[in-house]
Each structure stands twice: as C-alpha cells, then as structure tokens.
Amino acid sequence: MSGRAPEAADLRRLAHHPIVVALAAMLAAGVAGLALAAVAGAAPAATMTALWDGMFGTDYAIGASLNVAATLMLVAVGFTIAHRAGLVNVGGEGQICAGGIAATAIGTTLTDAPAAITLPAVLIGAAAAGWLWAAIAAYLRVARGTSEIITTLLLNFVGLALVLLVVHEPALLRQPVTSSETLPQSEPLTAAAQLPLLGIERSPATIALWIAVIAACGTAILLRHTALGTRLRAVGLNPDAAARLGVPVRRSRFLSLSAAGAFAGLAGGLLVATAPFVLAEGFSSGYGFSGLVVGLLARGSLAAVVAVSLVLGFLVSGGINLQLAANVPASTVSIVESLMIVFIAGAALWTRRTRKPAAPQPVSDTTEPAGAPR
C-alpha cells in the first residue's frame, strides 16, 4: 500500500500539469468540433482529411502554420507576463493593430536604409507602439483603478478602426490608386524591411518563429530566475502583502501590462513584415483572441505557451482549409477555441476542488482537558 500512494500522487500531479490539461482541453474541443462539422453536413473522414491537408499537406501549409504559431506565441507570452502580476490583457488585437501601423509607417518610409537598420527599426517601432497602446490601459488601472479587462477590450475596437482609417485615407498609408481594382491597403514594405525566410523549400515560413521562441525562453528565465519575476509573482499573489514588503506594486503592474502590449505589437510588426508585406484591413485576423486562448491554456507555463501555440497555429491553418475543402463554416474553429476556454476553466475548477486539504496537526499531550481550571 505504501508504494501505491506515491504513484497515485505522481499521477495526480501529472493530471494537473498545464501541458496535460491543455492537451486534454484541445482533445475535448476537437471532438466537439467534429460533431459540429457533422451537423453542418461534412463527413468525419472528409473533415479530418481536409484538416490534415490544411495543417501538414504541403510545405506551404506547414510554413503558414508556423507563421501563425509565432504570432500567437508572442501574444501569449505577453499575456503570461501580465497575468503573473494579477492582470488580464484581452487587448492583444488592438495592440497588434498599433504595432502593424507603426511597422508599416517605418517600413514604407526607410527606402534607402540597409536591412541591418530597417528591419530592426520596423520591429522595435512595432513593439514600442504596442507598449504605448497598452500603457493607456495600464495607466488607467494603476492611477484610476479602472478594470484593465474593460479598457483593453475597448481599445481593440479603436485599434481596428485606426487600421481602417490609415488604409483608406490617401494622406496616410494607403497606396496610390492606379485603377478601380486597387485594394484599400498600404504600399508594400521595402525589401530591407521584409523578414527573411527560414529556408524551407516552397514555404512562406520566416524567422518570426525563432523570434517568438527566443522571446518565450527569455521571458521564462526572467520570470523564474530574476528578482523582477519574483516581484511580479508576489504582486499577482497578494498585492497588499507585496506592498508591505516594499514591492512597487503600481509600477510593477504598469510595466507588466505595457510589456504585454509590446509583445503583441511586435507580433503585429511580424505580420506586416511577412508576405504579402502590406497593411490591409483584417490583417490581424483574430490573432489577439487566439493568443488569449493560448495564454489561458498554458496557465502560466512558458513551455506550454510554445507547445500550445504550435498546436493552435496548425489548427487555425487547418481550419481555413476546412472551409475550402469540406464546406465547414469558418466559425467552427472559433467555436472550438471558445470551447477550449470553457474546458480549461472547468479543469482549473476541478483542480482546486480535488486538491487535498492539509493534514490536521496532532494534538499535544500537554493539552489541558476540557473544563480544567485556568
């Protein structure tokens, strides 16, 4: 019996691991997605074939999936930083838009500079724009006590509207109209501002993946092995106790939420620096919401952020092919993502309820009997 108890404890810890819980949520949501596709009239075999072809069928599909995963990874890394300090960043979409606008403005202006200057300027400008965009909500949170959930959510709509404005207004970023078929979009970024390819044959995959992985690894080191990471964790667990210990709670929260915006802004810069190298309406394509899903599924683990981003990146690319090849509604993938959030919330609730209470302390032999004189 003594040997079975440690094994049961190990299994319980494994079942509560963020990666295991995330994969279980994805599996359950995938089964629900297949049921929805069947209701829409698609045969399960055709659905699975279309999904597989969209994810791994060609080198182009794999490269596109890796680019999507890189974008989701950066948004989720930022979400994790803010969440470590007890904040929830739901403004990834607006921050992506701010970063994309800044990257386009820089990438279409620096026409004569070499790539060693132009590309870093594009990415740094995108990150700075995302930082400033999130700083609006961060300031309102620490100075006025306004919920960051509401402010970041509302700023999403402002960011999307700004993209529409700059790509439709000739005085801003819209390309010159040469014919009635000219789309409302920006001019292409200069060649020096475009991300290099990974080198996979017939694949659009760029070094965005390596940038995202390096960002995730660096953030993991910062959160786990530095004093700043310890302070953020203390603020997230108990801000009042952290303040009594001398931790600058307001400054820590401001920096964490602004940093989340910087990572999302960088993701927007990577999007416009990838083919077709233009800013167009809808370029963010719901990546802010999908990155939020990745952050929730990862539950604070940066290793899980990398893994879940890759899985969800391939799922998003496969979902596009579902609509084209199997006539499955595009909203099915969004429903699957929403179900993942519901399942992960249920898993967190189950984890708390199944956690064993602490063992009671043994009563001392010197305890006075009831009714003894004092």
Side-chain angles (χ1 to χ4, degrees), residues 2-21:
S2 59
R4 294 181 179 178
E7 291 179 1
D10 292 339
L11 290 175
R12 190 180 299 111
R13 282 193 295 268
L14 179 62
H16 295 167
H17 194 278
I19 294 180
V20 175
V21 174

Side-chain angles (χ1 to χ4, degrees), residues 4 17 21 26 29 80 95 98 119 126 128 134 183 188 191 207 212 223 295 322 328 337 340 372:
R4 294 181 179 178
H17 194 278
V21 174
M26 287 183 177
T80 302
Q95 294 148 13
L119 185 56
L183 295 175
I207 62 170
L223 293 181
L322 276 179
V328 175
E337 293 178 0
M340 287 181 185

Side-chain angles (χ1 to χ4, degrees), residues 122-318:
V122 165
L123 300 184
I124 293 172
W131 174 284
L132 292 174
W133 197 256
I136 299 172
Y139 171 79
L140 292 174
R141 177 66 177 84
V142 302
R144 304 297 180 185
T146 307
S147 170
E148 77 283 356
I149 298 177
I150 296 175
T151 51
T152 53
L153 178 63
L154 294 179
L155 284 170
N156 285 337
F157 301 101
V158 180
L160 292 170
L162 280 178
V163 172
L164 290 176
L165 174 65
V166 299
V167 299
H168 281 82
E169 180 56 49
L172 297 176
L173 294 178
R174 178 168 181 168
Q175 64 178 351
V177 179
T178 57
S179 69
S180 60
E181 298 179 356
T182 302
L183 295 175
Q185 63 185 28
S186 70
E187 294 186 17
L189 274 65
T190 62
Q194 299 172 8
L195 285 175
L197 297 176
L198 274 181
I200 304 175
E201 188 177 358
R202 297 188 300 275
S203 171
T206 66
I207 62 170
L209 179 65
W210 297 126
I211 294 174
V213 171
I214 291 172
C217 294
T219 302
I221 294 173
L222 183 144
L223 293 181
R224 294 178 63 89
H225 302 290
T226 67
L228 177 59
T230 302
R231 287 197 294 269
L232 290 178
R233 182 172 179 82
V235 170
L237 290 175
N238 193 324
D240 294 332
R244 285 194 288 270
L245 292 174
V247 177
V249 174
R250 296 173 64 184
R251 184 174 66 185
S252 298
R253 284 186 160 177
F254 180 87
L255 292 177
S256 65
L257 187 55
S258 299
F263 279 106
L266 177 58
L270 295 178
L271 282 175
V272 298
T274 304
F277 311 112
V278 296
L279 179 70
E281 52 181 290
F283 87 104
S284 56
S285 190
Y287 289 129
F289 174 73
S290 298
L292 170 65
V293 173
V294 173
L296 291 172
L297 289 172
R299 299 174 65 198
S301 169
L302 272 303
V305 164
V306 175
V308 176
S309 296
L310 289 171
V311 173
L312 199 59
F314 279 92
L315 179 63
V316 170
S317 294

Side-chain angles (χ1 to χ4, degrees), residues 96-121:
I96 288 174
C97 291
I101 293 172
T104 304
I106 297 171
T108 56
T109 303
L110 297 178
T111 56
D112 298 324
I117 295 177
T118 304
L119 185 56

